[in-house]
Amino acid sequence: MLRDGRVAVVHRPHRQDWTLPKGKLEPGEDDLAAAVREVCEETGWLAEPGGDLGTVEYTTPDGRPKSVRWYRMRAVQRVAEPTADVDEVRWVDAGEARALLTYDLDREVLARAGL
């Protein structure tokens, strides 16, 4: 998600990682609705979705397969505090985001977004 040309990255204390905001689908929810909801939950910002950046598939640390559909998003308005799963949100330029992110797959998403 972008705001003033900066990227939102979140720190998850239970995983001790820095990642892009993402989550999982709720029953009956489509990929786009889940992406908007999860970004809001993890950052506290309502986002306006833009272009589809495709899907990334990986295996979670506990061995489960996961698939995440990514969208380019623009932060519109701060509406809440992040959920307890996130203890810090940073808005950084793309270079700092690449250096801070824990996972190469998140860096791939930035590249897909042209960042």
Side-chain angles (χ1 to χ4, degrees):
M1 177 170 59
L2 294 172
R3 182 182 69 150
D4 300 327
R6 294 176 294 155
V7 178
V9 295
V10 297
H11 184 259
R12 301 181 301 180
H14 63 287
R15 298 221 194 285
Q16 287 299 305
D17 64 3
W18 285 96
T19 187
L20 298 173
K22 62 182 162 294
K24 57 186 168 189
L25 293 170
E26 296 290 338
E29 191 174 47
D30 66 27
D31 291 334
L32 182 57
V36 170
R37 177 186 52 77
E38 285 286 346
V39 163
C40 187
E41 288 178 1
E42 292 194 353
T43 66
W45 282 79
L46 182 60
E48 178 180 88
D52 185 338
L53 299 175
T55 301
V56 172
E57 296 179 347
Y58 60 97
T59 303
T60 63
D62 61 2
R64 292 178 295 137
K66 184 164 182 174
S67 177
V68 177
R69 185 85 181 225
W70 293 93
Y71 298 88
R72 188 177 183 97
M73 293 193 185
R74 182 179 64 84
V76 176
Q77 178 181 5
R78 185 163 184 186
V79 294
E81 291 296 319
T83 63
D85 292 336
V86 171
D87 66 351
E88 187 175 353
V89 178
R90 288 190 190 171
W91 294 91
V92 297
D93 67 37
E96 188 175 347
R98 281 190 295 279
L100 190 59
L101 290 166
T102 302
Y103 307 107
D104 287 337
L105 288 174
D106 285 337
R107 290 182 197 88
E108 178 185 320
V109 172
L110 288 180
R112 290 181 187 189
L115 301 172

